[in-house]
Amino acid sequence: MSNSVTLTDNRNGKQYEFPILDSTLGPSVIDISNFYPTTGMFTFDRGYTSTAMCRSKITFIDGEKGILKHRGYSIEWLAENKNFLDVVYLLLNKKLPTKEELGSFKQELKTRSFINEKMIRLFSAFPDKAHPMAVLQACVATLSTYYSRDMNFDNPIEYMELAKRLVAKMPTLAAFYYRHSMGYPLIYPDLDRGFTENFLYMMRSFPHSRVDLKRIEVKALDSVLMLHADHEQNASTTTVRTVGSTHSHPYSCISAGIGALWGHAHGGANEGVIKQLEMIGTVENVDKYIKKAKDKNDPFRLMGFGHRVYKNYDPRARVLKKMRDELISEIDIDENLLKVANRIEEIALNDDYFVSRNLYPNVDFNSGLILKALKIPTDMFAVLFVMGRVPGWMAQWMELKEQDTIKIVRPRQLYIGPKDSLNENNE
Ligand code: ACO
């Protein structure tokens, strides 16, 4: 085999050959699907840092160069020329929409944005202080009970229906959670408003006062959603694909994805960024916390810095930084918070600890500040991440379903426990 690698077991000199699969962009992949039957050994890759878990045509990332592309379009070009719903269409339909296609897509999402009235009772079941990510996870799982006939379907048209329905309902679920938690009257979607605008409208309006939304606010939120739309095989997407591999209901897969995204090492980081900036409090305190972040014996980490894949500036963070500057030139933001954020960024971009470890600001650093400026409650930041990511998850789930055979995700392990606990001599 010419396009292959040969592995030599130095214990006995045995050689094994594995094919190399070439990608259209990025690293080639060694196909080790037959590694265990061939060698009698497993491979070990904690956190899957060197493992490709699927073939995909959706999103490409080059973490070294700071490149992100959806279906071949760079994120910078999309952010400059398109809106969130264009990218949703692109991810789901594998092509950008024409003007007419986008028009009917928007219309369809509007009419699907309502939720079954019975589901509203669900919000009363949660305690007042319930975290919105837990509520959202439960809501999406509950949606599977309304569309359960789709459990055993095998039809791409049905997949698309499920995807559009979920994208359309997420802002309503998120806004209803907020209104209910505050004891405010629910505001239903307004069919005369666009997707992103509608969310802010449902969050902020009251029956007696129509909300006045600035164009820049809608644009900034639209950018945040777009920049979160998909990100290759990250922890939550891998979760969606893993649950999908068992042929579970797609909304159950997405609900599991929300659970994975909740954690502060993933989507919970934008909430962590603001909480941390508030805790640091003043520019004078920044040095103390930078010192803590650099101390190996201190678990403190700078939220919004570092990324598993990007070892260069996260391209999404760059786009959002521009948007953040545009936004704060037009609306008020806590100046002190901004000063602390700017000082941290300045130090981190120049300090040897961060530079040598390639710890650049990630998307959460700036999205946290934008969402704060948009007066989104801090504990809802990750919910906005979910709203943005649902189309990516659904596109990845649909891609999984398009495969001829779906292999259930079932990794192995390096067992290091006792050999035989009934036998005293465990050696
Ligand atoms: N602050 C201080 N030190 C850090 C940070 C940070 N934010 N991130 C990584 N490091 C250090 C580690 O201590 C480690 O140092 P060492 O080599 O001396 O041991 C080195 O940088 C490498 O870090 P790892 O944890 O091995 O990197 P990994 O790729 O596993 O983790 C992660 C990436 C989880 C994002 C990490 O950088 C982190 O915890 N960042 C803060 C949380 C955050 O912003 N998460 C959002 C990620 S983006 C997203 O999900 C959309």
Side-chain angles (χ1 to χ4, degrees):
M1 250 190 287
S2 58
N3 209 13
S4 66
V5 291
T6 303
L7 178 83
T8 307
D9 185 339
N10 290 328
R11 296 171 307 179
N12 51 26
K14 275 192 183 168
Q15 291 203 322
Y16 307 96
E17 205 168 4
F18 298 97
I20 296 175
L21 310 176
D22 285 326
S23 58
T24 47
L25 274 179
S28 300
V29 166
I30 303 169
D31 183 353
I32 55 161
S33 318
N34 281 321
F35 197 89
Y36 175 58
T38 312
T39 66
M41 289 182 277
F42 299 136
T43 57
F44 187 68
D45 182 14
R46 214 164 57 98
Y48 303 143
T49 53
S50 300
T51 296
M53 75 96 75
C54 62
R55 287 182 158 90
S56 183
K57 294 179 178 172
I58 304 173
T59 293
F60 171 76
I61 300 174
D62 183 329
E64 272 69 41
K65 294 192 183 127
I67 294 173
L68 168 63
K69 289 181 176 195
H70 296 315
R71 301 210 184 271
Y73 295 98
S74 78
I75 196 66
E76 290 86 356
W77 184 85
L78 289 168
E80 196 65 37
N81 297 287
K82 299 289 168 188
N83 293 318
F84 175 55
L85 288 190
D86 293 284
V87 174
V88 175
Y89 191 99
L90 172 70
L91 292 171
L92 298 180
N93 293 280
K94 307 173 185 172
K95 71 175 207 53
L96 280 169
T98 61
K99 207 168 157 231
E100 290 70 32
E101 284 166 338
L102 185 63
S104 49
F105 185 61
K106 283 181 178 171
Q107 196 52 36
E108 191 181 350
L109 293 188
K110 278 183 191 176
T111 53
R112 287 177 181 273
S113 61
F114 296 83
I115 57 170
N116 189 302
E117 287 287 312
K118 284 188 209 153
M119 264 194 73
I120 292 168
R121 279 189 257 139
L122 187 64
F123 294 105
S124 318
F126 299 110
D128 285 347
K129 294 240 155 46
H131 195 283
M133 286 295 271
V135 175
L136 203 61
Q137 204 177 0
C139 285
V140 174
T142 306
L143 274 182
S144 68
T145 66
Y146 286 86
Y147 304 100
S148 53
R149 72 185 166 83
D150 296 316
M151 187 74 197
N152 288 316
F153 61 97
D154 200 10
N155 175 355
I157 297 169
E158 285 282 337
Y159 304 164
M160 191 60 87
E161 297 288 295
L162 283 156
K164 287 187 283 196
R165 186 183 290 132
L166 195 59
V167 171
K169 292 184 196 315
M170 291 311 290
T172 316
L173 288 174
F176 278 17
Y177 152 80
Y178 171 68
R179 307 289 304 194
H180 199 276
S181 70
M182 298 299 287
Y184 296 162
L186 299 185
I187 301 291
Y188 283 67
D190 177 352
L191 296 189
D192 291 331
R193 292 174 191 269
F195 183 91
T196 305
E197 183 189 354
N198 230 328
F199 173 69
L200 289 175
Y201 161 77
M202 289 188 281
M203 290 287 287
R204 293 192 195 164
S205 269
F206 281 92
H208 54 274
S209 67
R210 281 176 77 79
V211 65
D212 186 20
L213 294 169
K214 289 199 169 94
R215 261 191 82 224
I216 185 76
E217 293 184 286
V218 177
K219 193 174 163 210
L221 183 58
D222 199 81
S223 297
V224 170
L225 296 178
M226 179 199 285
L227 290 161
H228 285 90
D230 194 53
H231 211 232
E232 208 225 52
Q233 308 310 319
N234 53 79
S236 53
T237 303
T238 300
T239 303
V240 170
R241 280 189 180 257
T242 302
V243 182
S245 79
T246 71
H247 302 277
S248 179
H249 190 288
Y251 294 169
S252 167
C253 304
I254 303 294
S255 177
I258 296 172
L261 192 78
W262 186 1
H264 67 78
H266 193 8
N270 52 11
E271 178 181 344
V273 167
I274 296 300
K275 285 191 174 154
Q276 196 169 83
L277 293 177
E278 286 171 347
M279 182 189 71
I280 295 172
T282 62
V283 173
E284 290 69 43
N285 284 337
V286 168
D287 285 349
K288 184 173 105 195
Y289 283 97
I290 292 280
K291 211 170 149 200
K292 271 169 81 60
K294 288 160 58 172
D295 182 354
K296 274 204 162 302
N297 302 314
D298 191 326
F300 181 84
R301 281 190 168 197
L302 269 194
M303 285 289 129
F305 284 82
H307 197 276
R308 168 57 61 82
V309 176
Y310 291 119
K311 301 303 167 201
N312 200 322
Y313 213 103
D314 180 338
R316 303 167 301 170
R318 208 186 293 279
V319 173
L320 280 187
K321 183 161 170 31
K322 204 168 145 232
M323 180 48 70
R324 175 189 113 183
D325 293 343
E326 249 183 76
L327 181 68
I328 56 181
S329 67
E330 290 198 39
I331 67 169
D332 290 338
I333 178 169
D334 180 342
E335 291 244 344
N336 198 43
L337 209 65
L338 200 61
K339 277 189 197 153
V340 175
N342 286 338
R343 179 71 188 133
I344 289 178
E345 188 173 3
E346 188 187 321
I347 295 181
L349 288 176
N350 294 295
D351 186 295
D352 187 53
Y353 174 91
F354 296 94
V355 174
S356 63
R357 289 171 178 76
N358 300 311
L359 299 172
Y360 293 91
N362 57 44
V363 66
D364 291 314
F365 188 67
N366 285 314
S367 71
L369 287 159
I370 290 179
L371 295 177
K372 178 80 180 166
L374 292 175
K375 301 185 180 54
I376 304 289
T378 314
D379 65 356
M380 280 191 73
F381 285 7
V383 168
L384 273 289
F385 194 151
V386 173
M387 270 170 58
R389 184 55 57 87
V390 160
W393 284 335
M394 285 305 301
Q396 300 271 351
W397 177 83
M398 289 198 286
E399 191 176 69
L400 173 80
K401 298 298 278 186
E402 278 170 9
Q403 291 166 12
D404 297 339
T405 45
I406 297 176
K407 198 125 177 101
I408 187 169
V409 177
R410 193 354 181 145
R412 302 304 301 263
Q413 62 176 11
L414 174 65
Y415 178 71
I416 52 168
K419 284 181 185 160
D420 182 359
S421 296
L422 289 176
N423 184 348
E424 274 179 32
N425 184 3
N426 244 337
E427 290 311 305

